């Protein structure tokens, strides 16, 4: 960028992209320093990294004086694109272009809602700003609480593995992350192979991957967040960003670090909720002769109250249960844990009578947590006889899957626990044939389809009926097939406010 005379100073202040429409960082302060007037057409510094077309350089409108021969021409009217005003126009056009580009890039970054997507967007935008083709970002929060990850742009996993074999002290991002001398800020290595004392392993990896220069920047969050990691962009030939490019990438990375810090806290909260939920659910399913078990559970980002259980009972019996507690978050997870623990105790004492088990559970819920309701289904199984006695409280009916039939078990209609002054509903008995599987699930499985309830039940029935015969001997394969069919395109693993529980029991 060219300099502006001291009598002309432009200040453009723009807040964070998340706070207004400009989409740039805290302040775009005094973009051009105040110096003495320079020549009208100052040449660009030679041999620097070219900037991507998404960040256009301002075009100079001052054309050289034409060389003419013969009689002098008639003087023309003054052109609006000549003189000092044209230079100022070029400067302002360049700044507007830069602001527009930063606005677009930060808006794209702000639309990312996962840490992995934000890191990928950071690499792509940074590569455009500094004129690089490849790069990598290393996330290692200074508080050592994780998550730690490395993501590449234009680099495969094998390439990242090769880079990790280089001693950290020899890598620019390693010096930043380890706080070594020279790693306090940006690190430009315009010609790696011309550097004296380049680590032999680094030289070998750079030659193998085909990069000759690098530019690294730390990712630091303001407000005491500390260092989050470092980003590195790689050049195929000796090069380095120019002054204008460094200014733009500095503004962008400053905003990106704040966005990453927010997503990092969200990711940690989600991981904590998943851990809490998993610890309150069975770590493994019991092995009971005559029946095979498999369970699939997906927790929402805020933590939900869906749960399942399978426990051996006296006389070689087996108790199966699924349920859902209203609400989400830590309180719902804690209530789910208490409810499941209580049901286990009641099942051991009177599991052969599922109605009594749910009646005791309803009384406990009404006395201890009167503001909360829950649905539940408990089944008392006798594997040797392939006999099942079950009762449900406001819960979805089980689905029976076999070679000759795929049908929902008809259960009595009843209210959820805690909704009535006294709950009681009759139990239902059924006998499964050899090789048949009973699917117990929560309503979150139906809600995630986005369909009305009747259509969601129809889709679940069709998904179960469509399980290939080659998979019907494995309850885990049956559960996976139902999830993939009912929630295609990875929807079962995506974040959703609805938990998913699917418990499959195959009788031999």
């Amino acid at each position: 960028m060219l300099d502006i005379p001291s009598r002309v100073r432009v200040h453009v202040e723009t807040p964070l992209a998340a706070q207004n429409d400009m989409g740039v960082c805290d302040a775009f302060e005094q973009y051009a320093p105040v110096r003495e007037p320079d020549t009208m057409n100052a040449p660009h510094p030679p041999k620097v990294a070219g900037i991507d077309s998404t960040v256009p350089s301002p075009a100079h409108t001052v054309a050289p004086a034409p060389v003419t021969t013969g009689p002098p021409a008639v003087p023309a009217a003054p052109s609006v694109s000549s003189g000092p005003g044209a230079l100022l126009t070029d400067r302002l056009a360049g700044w507007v272009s830069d602001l527009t580009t930063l606005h677009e890039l930060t808006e794209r970054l702000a639309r990312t809602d996962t840490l992995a997507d934000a890191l990928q967007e950071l690499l792509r935008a940074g590569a455009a700003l500094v004129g690089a083709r490849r790069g990598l970002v290393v996330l290692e929060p200074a508080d050592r609480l994780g998550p730690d990850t490395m993501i590449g742009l234009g680099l495969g996993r094998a390439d990242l593995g090769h880079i990790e074999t280089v001693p950290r002290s020899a890598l620019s991002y390693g010096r930043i992350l380890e706080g070594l001398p020279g790693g306090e800020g940006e690190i430009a290595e315009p010609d790696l192979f011309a550097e004296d004392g380049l680590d032999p392993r680094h030289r070998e990896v750079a030659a193998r991957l085909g990069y000759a220069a690098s530019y690294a920047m730390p990712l630091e969050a303001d407000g005491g967040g500390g260092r989050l990691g470092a980003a590195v962009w790689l050049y195929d030939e000796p090069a380095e960003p120019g002054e204008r490019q460094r200014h733009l990438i500095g503004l962008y990375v400053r905003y990106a670090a704040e966005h990453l810090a927010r997503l990092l806290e969200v990711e940690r909260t989600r991981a904590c909720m998943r851990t809490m939920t998993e610890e309150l659910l069975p770590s493994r399913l019991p092995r009971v002769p005559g029946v095979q078990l498999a369970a699939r559970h997906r927790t929402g980002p805020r933590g939900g109250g869906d749960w399942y259980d399978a426990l051996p009972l006296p006389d070689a019996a087996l108790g199966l249960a699924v349920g859902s507690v209203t609400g989400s978050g830590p309180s719902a997870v804690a209530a789910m844990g208490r409810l499941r623990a209580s049901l286990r105790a009641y099942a051991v004492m009177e599991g052969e009578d599922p109605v009594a088990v749910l009646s005791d559970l309803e009384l406990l819920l009404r006395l201890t947590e009167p503001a909360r309701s829950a649905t539940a289904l408990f089944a008392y199984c006798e594997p040797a006889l392939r006999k099942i006695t079950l009762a449900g409280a406001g819960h979805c009916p089980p689905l029976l899957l076999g070679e000759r039939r795929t049908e929902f078990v008809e259960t009595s209609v009843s209210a959820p626990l805690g909704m009535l002054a006294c709950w009681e509903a009759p139990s239902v008995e059924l006998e499964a044939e050899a090789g048949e599987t009973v699917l117990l699930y929560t309503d979150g499985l139906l809600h995630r389809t986005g369909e009305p309830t009747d259509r969601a039940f129809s889709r679940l029935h069709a998904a179960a009926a469509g399980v290939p015969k080659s998979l019907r001997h494995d309850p885990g394969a049956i559960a996976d097939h139902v999830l993939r069919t009912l929630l295609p395109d990875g929807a079962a693993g995506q974040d959703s406010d609805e938990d998913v529980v699917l418990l499959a029991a195959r009788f031999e």
Side-chain angles (χ1 to χ4, degrees), residues 75-133:
S79 174
V80 295
S81 61
S82 62
L87 177 60
L88 180 58
T89 301
D90 288 346
R91 294 281 185 83
L92 292 175
W95 295 338
V96 170
S97 174
D98 292 343
L99 288 169
T100 302
T101 298
L102 285 172
H103 173 65
E104 293 174 354
L105 294 179
T106 51
E107 271 198 336
R108 282 163 50 182
L109 181 66
R111 285 195 293 267
T112 59
D113 55 3
T114 65
L115 199 56
D117 291 344
L119 293 175
Q120 285 288 358
E121 181 59 32
L122 165 65
L123 281 177
R124 286 191 293 266
L129 289 172
V130 303
R133 190 171 62 89

Side-chain angles (χ1 to χ4, degrees), residues 236-248:
D236 297 342
E237 297 179 355
E240 64 176 323
E243 181 180 355
R244 170 173 168 263
Q245 294 169 305
R246 295 186 188 214
H247 186 72
L248 292 176

Side-chain angles (χ1 to χ4, degrees), residues 30 67 69 209 214 253 307 318 342 348 425 453 456 470 477:
Q30 201 164 337
V67 179
T69 58
L209 299 184
S214 67
V253 167
W307 53 276
L318 173 69
S342 301
V348 170
T453 303
S470 59

Side-chain angles (χ1 to χ4, degrees), residues 427-441:
S427 60
V428 175
E429 291 186 1
L430 68 140
E431 291 186 7
E433 297 180 2
E436 288 190 328
T437 301
V438 177
L439 296 178
L440 309 181
Y441 53 94

Side-chain angles (χ1 to χ4, degrees), residues 286-292 312 316-318 381-385 506-508:
R287 294 185 177 181
V288 178
V291 64
Q292 295 176 285
L318 173 69
C381 306
E382 301 174 78
L385 303 176
R506 180 181 182 273
F507 291 86
E508 299 175 350

